[in-house]
Coordinates of all heavy atoms in Angstrom, one line a residue:
T1117 N 88.9 89.0 50.6 CA 89.2 90.2 49.8 C 89.3 89.8 48.3 O 88.8 90.4 47.5 CB 90.5 90.9 50.3 OG1 90.3 91.3 51.6 CG2 90.7 92.2 49.5
S1118 N 90.1 88.8 48.0 CA 90.3 88.4 46.6 C 89.0 88.0 46.0 O 88.7 88.3 44.8 CB 91.3 87.2 46.5 OG 90.8 86.1 47.3
K1124 N 81.6 90.3 40.2 CA 81.1 91.4 39.4 C 79.7 91.7 39.9 O 79.0 90.8 40.5 CB 81.0 91.0 38.0 CG 82.4 90.8 37.4 CD 82.3 90.5 35.9 CE 83.8 90.4 35.4 NZ 83.8 90.3 34.0
I1129 N 68.7 91.7 42.4 CA 68.7 91.2 43.8 C 67.9 89.9 43.8 O 66.8 89.8 43.3 CB 68.1 92.3 44.7 CG1 69.0 93.5 44.8 CG2 67.9 91.7 46.1 CD1 68.5 94.6 45.5
W1173 N 91.8 117.9 56.5 CA 90.9 117.2 55.5 C 90.9 115.7 55.8 O 91.9 115.2 56.2 CB 91.3 117.6 54.1 CG 90.8 118.8 53.6 CD1 90.9 120.1 54.2 CD2 90.1 119.0 52.4 NE1 90.3 121.0 53.3 CE2 89.8 120.4 52.2 CE3 89.7 118.2 51.4 CZ2 89.1 120.9 51.2 CZ3 89.0 118.7 50.3 CH2 88.7 120.1 50.2
A1185 N 83.7 101.5 60.9 CA 83.3 101.8 62.2 C 81.8 102.0 62.4 O 81.2 101.5 63.3 CB 84.1 103.0 62.8
F1194 N 72.1 98.6 66.9 CA 70.8 98.5 66.3 C 70.3 97.1 66.0 O 69.2 96.8 66.2 CB 70.6 99.5 65.1 CG 70.8 100.9 65.5 CD1 71.8 101.7 64.9 CD2 70.0 101.5 66.5 CE1 72.0 103.0 65.2 CE2 70.2 102.8 66.8 CZ 71.2 103.6 66.2
L1200 N 78.0 99.5 72.8 CA 79.4 99.1 72.6 C 80.0 98.9 74.0 O 79.7 99.6 74.9 CB 80.1 100.3 71.9 CG 79.7 100.6 70.5 CD1 80.5 101.8 70.0 CD2 80.0 99.4 69.5
T1209 N 85.8 104.7 68.3 CA 85.5 106.1 68.5 C 86.3 107.0 67.5 O 85.8 107.9 66.9 CB 85.7 106.6 69.9 OG1 84.6 106.0 70.7 CG2 85.6 108.1 70.1
L1221 N 94.0 108.2 62.1 CA 93.4 107.4 61.0 C 94.3 107.4 59.8 O 93.9 106.8 58.8 CB 92.0 108.0 60.7 CG 91.0 107.9 61.9 CD1 89.7 108.6 61.5 CD2 90.8 106.5 62.4
D1228 N 94.6 96.6 50.4 CA 94.2 95.2 50.6 C 93.7 95.1 52.1 O 92.7 94.4 52.3 CB 95.3 94.2 50.4 CG 95.6 94.0 48.9 OD1 94.7 94.3 48.1 OD2 96.7 93.5 48.6
V1245 N 71.8 90.5 60.0 CA 70.6 90.9 59.4 C 69.7 89.7 58.9 O 68.5 89.7 59.0 CB 70.8 92.0 58.2 CG1 69.6 92.2 57.4 CG2 71.3 93.3 58.8
H1247 N 69.2 87.0 60.1 CA 68.5 86.4 61.2 C 67.4 87.2 61.8 O 66.7 86.8 62.7 CB 69.5 86.0 62.3 CG 70.5 85.0 61.9 ND1 70.2 83.7 61.6 CD2 71.9 85.1 61.7 CE1 71.3 83.1 61.2 NE2 72.3 83.9 61.2
Y1261 N 66.6 109.7 66.8 CA 66.3 111.1 66.3 C 65.1 111.6 67.1 O 64.0 111.5 66.6 CB 66.2 111.1 64.8 CG 66.2 112.4 64.2 CD1 67.3 113.2 64.2 CD2 65.1 112.9 63.5 CE1 67.3 114.5 63.6 CE2 65.1 114.2 62.9 CZ 66.2 114.9 63.0 OH 66.2 116.2 62.4
D1262 N 65.4 112.2 68.2 CA 64.3 112.5 69.2 C 63.2 113.4 68.6 O 62.0 113.3 68.9 CB 64.9 113.2 70.4 CG 65.6 112.2 71.3 OD1 65.3 111.0 71.2 OD2 66.5 112.6 72.0
W1271 N 65.0 101.9 58.6 CA 65.5 103.2 58.3 C 66.9 103.4 58.8 O 67.7 104.0 58.1 CB 64.6 104.3 58.9 CG 65.0 105.6 58.4 CD1 64.6 106.3 57.3 CD2 66.0 106.5 59.1 NE1 65.3 107.5 57.2 CE2 66.2 107.6 58.2 CE3 66.8 106.4 60.2 CZ2 67.1 108.7 58.6 CZ3 67.7 107.4 60.5 CH2 67.8 108.5 59.7
L1273 N 69.3 101.2 59.0 CA 70.2 100.5 58.1 C 70.3 101.2 56.8 O 71.3 101.3 56.1 CB 69.8 99.1 58.0 CG 70.0 98.3 59.3 CD1 69.4 96.9 59.1 CD2 71.5 98.2 59.7
D1279 N 75.1 106.9 54.3 CA 76.3 107.4 54.8 C 77.5 106.9 53.9 O 78.4 107.7 53.5 CB 76.5 107.1 56.3 CG 77.7 107.8 56.9 OD1 77.6 109.1 57.0 OD2 78.7 107.2 57.2
R1291 N 90.1 111.6 45.2 CA 91.0 110.9 44.1 C 91.2 111.9 43.0 O 92.4 112.0 42.5 CB 90.2 109.7 43.6 CG 90.2 108.5 44.5 CD 89.5 107.3 43.9 NE 90.3 106.8 42.8 CZ 90.1 105.7 42.2 NH1 89.1 104.9 42.6 NH2 90.9 105.3 41.2
G1299 N 99.6 115.8 39.2 CA 99.8 115.9 37.8 C 99.6 114.6 37.0 O 100.2 114.4 36.0

Side-chain angles (χ1 to χ4, degrees):
T1117 302
S1118 60
K1124 293 185 180 187
I1129 293 174
W1173 274 54
F1194 297 121
L1200 294 174
T1209 293
L1221 302 175
D1228 287 338
V1245 165
H1247 296 291
Y1261 190 63
D1262 291 332
W1271 185 89
L1273 293 172
D1279 187 70
R1291 288 181 68 169

